[in-house]
Amino acid sequence: MISTELARRLRDAGLVWHPRSGDRFQLDEPEFEADVFTVSEMTIEARTFPTGGILAFNGTTEWALDSVAQEDALWLPSEEQLRELLRGTFRQLRRQPDTYEVEVDLGGKRLVYAHPEPSDAYALALLALLHRVTD
């Protein structure tokens, strides 16, 4: 699973989240950092209103929360979602002895981003792409 730090960096770089069933997230508060939630129509439902989106906690007896504003949640995209977001820039994922390497093609240059966790290697590559788009 992607690290909280890289999820924050992706959000701060402009990655927009449109919650759908199966997405994982954390509440963006230090006291909730260990808690990971999953969007599901049965327990946590994404709802959109003219004033913004919320994540509604349906029937959760252990929670005193009814809902949280979507902007108070931190999306933890999966490895598959990160790969999809890289779109046509993605070339390959390689396993090295101590790391995973994600190779992308950015503007005709082959670049490699490495991390011990494959999802974080994908996140580093996506960060580079986001920074390239916003620069």
Side-chain angles (χ1 to χ4, degrees):
M1 180 168 61
I2 186 174
S3 69
T4 300
E5 182 236 337
L6 278 171
R8 273 195 193 99
R9 288 176 59 193
L10 285 169
R11 179 196 59 202
D12 294 346
L15 183 62
V16 177
W17 179 34
H18 302 284
R20 61 183 190 211
S21 188
D23 284 356
R24 293 174 299 185
F25 68 94
Q26 292 176 313
L27 298 181
D28 200 16
E29 297 291 332
E31 63 269 19
F32 294 108
E33 193 164 311
D35 297 320
V36 175
F37 303 95
T38 303
V39 176
S40 167
E41 287 79 19
M42 295 294 291
T43 56
I44 302 173
E45 182 180 6
R47 297 181 186 161
T48 305
F49 298 98
T51 56
I54 66 165
L55 298 166
F57 290 77
N58 298 326
T60 53
T61 56
E62 71 276 7
W63 273 85
L65 290 174
D66 288 329
S67 65
V68 295
Q70 186 176 326
E71 62 265 13
D72 294 333
L74 179 64
W75 180 31
L76 304 170
S78 69
E79 185 177 327
E80 179 182 346
Q81 289 170 317
L82 292 164
R83 189 172 44 251
E84 286 174 16
L85 290 164
L86 286 170
R87 295 190 172 102
T89 66
F90 175 69
R91 293 298 171 256
Q92 66 179 316
L93 172 68
R94 287 187 296 269
R95 173 76 168 117
Q96 300 296 339
D98 296 325
T99 64
Y100 289 87
E101 294 179 346
V102 170
E103 183 179 315
V104 294
D105 184 331
L106 295 180
K109 292 182 183 177
R110 295 276 176 136
L111 302 171
V112 175
Y113 298 89
H115 195 279
E117 296 296 323
S119 55
D120 284 350
Y122 280 111
L124 290 170
L126 184 57
L127 268 173
L129 180 62
L130 289 169
H131 286 299
R132 187 175 184 88
V133 169
T134 59
D135 289 344

PDB file of all heavy atoms in Angstrom, residues 75-87:
ATOM      1  N   TRP A  75      -6.661  10.058   0.009  1.00  0.00           N
ATOM      2  CA  TRP A  75      -6.762   8.886  -0.854  1.00  0.00           C
ATOM      3  C   TRP A  75      -5.446   8.130  -0.866  1.00  0.00           C
ATOM      4  O   TRP A  75      -4.376   8.722  -0.995  1.00  0.00           O
ATOM      5  CB  TRP A  75      -7.136   9.326  -2.256  1.00  0.00           C
ATOM      6  CG  TRP A  75      -7.280   8.231  -3.277  1.00  0.00           C
ATOM      7  CD1 TRP A  75      -7.692   6.945  -3.065  1.00  0.00           C
ATOM      8  CD2 TRP A  75      -7.034   8.350  -4.675  1.00  0.00           C
ATOM      9  NE1 TRP A  75      -7.721   6.255  -4.255  1.00  0.00           N
ATOM     10  CE2 TRP A  75      -7.326   7.098  -5.264  1.00  0.00           C
ATOM     11  CE3 TRP A  75      -6.614   9.394  -5.492  1.00  0.00           C
ATOM     12  CZ2 TRP A  75      -7.190   6.865  -6.626  1.00  0.00           C
ATOM     13  CZ3 TRP A  75      -6.486   9.160  -6.845  1.00  0.00           C
ATOM     14  CH2 TRP A  75      -6.770   7.911  -7.401  1.00  0.00           C
ATOM     15  N   LEU A  76      -5.528   6.811  -0.735  1.00  0.00           N
ATOM     16  CA  LEU A  76      -4.374   5.923  -0.822  1.00  0.00           C
ATOM     17  C   LEU A  76      -4.536   5.077  -2.079  1.00  0.00           C
ATOM     18  O   LEU A  76      -5.025   3.948  -2.021  1.00  0.00           O
ATOM     19  CB  LEU A  76      -4.295   5.029   0.424  1.00  0.00           C
ATOM     20  CG  LEU A  76      -4.248   5.752   1.768  1.00  0.00           C
ATOM     21  CD1 LEU A  76      -4.423   4.765   2.911  1.00  0.00           C
ATOM     22  CD2 LEU A  76      -2.948   6.530   1.911  1.00  0.00           C
ATOM     23  N   PRO A  77      -4.166   5.622  -3.242  1.00  0.00           N
ATOM     24  CA  PRO A  77      -4.389   4.868  -4.480  1.00  0.00           C
ATOM     25  C   PRO A  77      -3.630   3.548  -4.484  1.00  0.00           C
ATOM     26  O   PRO A  77      -2.526   3.438  -3.946  1.00  0.00           O
ATOM     27  CB  PRO A  77      -3.884   5.798  -5.579  1.00  0.00           C
ATOM     28  CG  PRO A  77      -3.098   6.856  -4.917  1.00  0.00           C
ATOM     29  CD  PRO A  77      -3.486   6.888  -3.479  1.00  0.00           C
ATOM     30  N   SER A  78      -4.247   2.549  -5.091  1.00  0.00           N
ATOM     31  CA  SER A  78      -3.631   1.228  -5.189  1.00  0.00           C
ATOM     32  C   SER A  78      -2.562   1.230  -6.278  1.00  0.00           C
ATOM     33  O   SER A  78      -2.498   2.132  -7.120  1.00  0.00           O
ATOM     34  CB  SER A  78      -4.695   0.176  -5.522  1.00  0.00           C
ATOM     35  OG  SER A  78      -5.162   0.371  -6.846  1.00  0.00           O
ATOM     36  N   GLU A  79      -1.756   0.183  -6.275  1.00  0.00           N
ATOM     37  CA  GLU A  79      -0.733   0.022  -7.304  1.00  0.00           C
ATOM     38  C   GLU A  79      -1.372   0.053  -8.697  1.00  0.00           C
ATOM     39  O   GLU A  79      -0.868   0.709  -9.608  1.00  0.00           O
ATOM     40  CB  GLU A  79      -0.006  -1.304  -7.060  1.00  0.00           C
ATOM     41  CG  GLU A  79       1.157  -1.564  -7.965  1.00  0.00           C
ATOM     42  CD  GLU A  79       1.863  -2.864  -7.614  1.00  0.00           C
ATOM     43  OE1 GLU A  79       1.922  -3.249  -6.429  1.00  0.00           O
ATOM     44  OE2 GLU A  79       2.362  -3.510  -8.553  1.00  0.00           O
ATOM     45  N   GLU A  80      -2.486  -0.633  -8.851  1.00  0.00           N
ATOM     46  CA  GLU A  80      -3.183  -0.661 -10.141  1.00  0.00           C
ATOM     47  C   GLU A  80      -3.668   0.730 -10.550  1.00  0.00           C
ATOM     48  O   GLU A  80      -3.537   1.135 -11.708  1.00  0.00           O
ATOM     49  CB  GLU A  80      -4.370  -1.626 -10.069  1.00  0.00           C
ATOM     50  CG  GLU A  80      -5.162  -1.713 -11.351  1.00  0.00           C
ATOM     51  CD  GLU A  80      -6.360  -2.638 -11.230  1.00  0.00           C
ATOM     52  OE1 GLU A  80      -6.447  -3.410 -10.268  1.00  0.00           O
ATOM     53  OE2 GLU A  80      -7.220  -2.574 -12.119  1.00  0.00           O
ATOM     54  N   GLN A  81      -4.236   1.481  -9.596  1.00  0.00           N
ATOM     55  CA  GLN A  81      -4.722   2.827  -9.902  1.00  0.00           C
ATOM     56  C   GLN A  81      -3.567   3.748 -10.286  1.00  0.00           C
ATOM     57  O   GLN A  81      -3.695   4.563 -11.201  1.00  0.00           O
ATOM     58  CB  GLN A  81      -5.484   3.397  -8.704  1.00  0.00           C
ATOM     59  CG  GLN A  81      -6.811   2.721  -8.482  1.00  0.00           C
ATOM     60  CD  GLN A  81      -7.446   3.119  -7.161  1.00  0.00           C
ATOM     61  OE1 GLN A  81      -6.776   3.189  -6.122  1.00  0.00           O
ATOM     62  NE2 GLN A  81      -8.736   3.394  -7.192  1.00  0.00           N
ATOM     63  N   LEU A  82      -2.441   3.625  -9.590  1.00  0.00           N
ATOM     64  CA  LEU A  82      -1.274   4.449  -9.914  1.00  0.00           C
ATOM     65  C   LEU A  82      -0.777   4.139 -11.325  1.00  0.00           C
ATOM     66  O   LEU A  82      -0.455   5.043 -12.095  1.00  0.00           O
ATOM     67  CB  LEU A  82      -0.170   4.230  -8.887  1.00  0.00           C
ATOM     68  CG  LEU A  82      -0.481   4.759  -7.487  1.00  0.00           C
ATOM     69  CD1 LEU A  82       0.468   4.163  -6.461  1.00  0.00           C
ATOM     70  CD2 LEU A  82      -0.423   6.283  -7.461  1.00  0.00           C
ATOM     71  N   ARG A  83      -0.735   2.861 -11.667  1.00  0.00           N
ATOM     72  CA  ARG A  83      -0.301   2.456 -13.012  1.00  0.00           C
ATOM     73  C   ARG A  83      -1.260   3.021 -14.063  1.00  0.00           C
ATOM     74  O   ARG A  83      -0.830   3.530 -15.100  1.00  0.00           O
ATOM     75  CB  ARG A  83      -0.224   0.934 -13.091  1.00  0.00           C
ATOM     76  CG  ARG A  83       0.418   0.402 -14.349  1.00  0.00           C
ATOM     77  CD  ARG A  83       0.663  -1.106 -14.321  1.00  0.00           C
ATOM     78  NE  ARG A  83      -0.435  -1.889 -13.800  1.00  0.00           N
ATOM     79  CZ  ARG A  83      -0.429  -2.516 -12.609  1.00  0.00           C
ATOM     80  NH1 ARG A  83       0.624  -2.468 -11.826  1.00  0.00           N
ATOM     81  NH2 ARG A  83      -1.481  -3.198 -12.212  1.00  0.00           N
ATOM     82  N   GLU A  84      -2.560   2.963 -13.789  1.00  0.00           N
ATOM     83  CA  GLU A  84      -3.550   3.525 -14.719  1.00  0.00           C
ATOM     84  C   GLU A  84      -3.351   5.033 -14.890  1.00  0.00           C
ATOM     85  O   GLU A  84      -3.483   5.561 -16.001  1.00  0.00           O
ATOM     86  CB  GLU A  84      -4.969   3.270 -14.211  1.00  0.00           C
ATOM     87  CG  GLU A  84      -5.442   1.849 -14.362  1.00  0.00           C
ATOM     88  CD  GLU A  84      -6.809   1.623 -13.714  1.00  0.00           C
ATOM     89  OE1 GLU A  84      -7.524   2.602 -13.415  1.00  0.00           O
ATOM     90  OE2 GLU A  84      -7.160   0.455 -13.502  1.00  0.00           O
ATOM     91  N   LEU A  85      -3.033   5.722 -13.804  1.00  0.00           N
ATOM     92  CA  LEU A  85      -2.835   7.174 -13.862  1.00  0.00           C
ATOM     93  C   LEU A  85      -1.593   7.556 -14.655  1.00  0.00           C
ATOM     94  O   LEU A  85      -1.526   8.646 -15.222  1.00  0.00           O
ATOM     95  CB  LEU A  85      -2.769   7.754 -12.443  1.00  0.00           C
ATOM     96  CG  LEU A  85      -4.094   7.742 -11.688  1.00  0.00           C
ATOM     97  CD1 LEU A  85      -3.864   7.964 -10.200  1.00  0.00           C
ATOM     98  CD2 LEU A  85      -5.034   8.796 -12.257  1.00  0.00           C
ATOM     99  N   LEU A  86      -0.620   6.671 -14.721  1.00  0.00           N
ATOM    100  CA  LEU A  86       0.578   6.933 -15.527  1.00  0.00           C
ATOM    101  C   LEU A  86       0.269   6.845 -17.027  1.00  0.00           C
ATOM    102  O   LEU A  86       1.016   7.362 -17.850  1.00  0.00           O
ATOM    103  CB  LEU A  86       1.694   5.951 -15.171  1.00  0.00           C
ATOM    104  CG  LEU A  86       2.386   6.209 -13.847  1.00  0.00           C
ATOM    105  CD1 LEU A  86       3.302   5.046 -13.486  1.00  0.00           C
ATOM    106  CD2 LEU A  86       3.169   7.520 -13.893  1.00  0.00           C
ATOM    107  N   ARG A  87      -0.812   6.172 -17.354  1.00  0.00           N
ATOM    108  CA  ARG A  87      -1.293   6.004 -18.732  1.00  0.00           C
ATOM    109  C   ARG A  87      -0.180   5.570 -19.671  1.00  0.00           C
ATOM    110  O   ARG A  87       0.568   4.661 -19.387  1.00  0.00           O
ATOM    111  CB  ARG A  87      -1.963   7.293 -19.196  1.00  0.00           C
ATOM    112  CG  ARG A  87      -3.209   7.615 -18.401  1.00  0.00           C
ATOM    113  CD  ARG A  87      -3.993   8.750 -19.003  1.00  0.00           C
ATOM    114  NE  ARG A  87      -5.258   8.905 -18.340  1.00  0.00           N
ATOM    115  CZ  ARG A  87      -5.503   9.838 -17.439  1.00  0.00           C
ATOM    116  NH1 ARG A  87      -4.579  10.704 -17.110  1.00  0.00           N
ATOM    117  NH2 ARG A  87      -6.692   9.917 -16.874  1.00  0.00           N
TER     118      ARG A  87
END
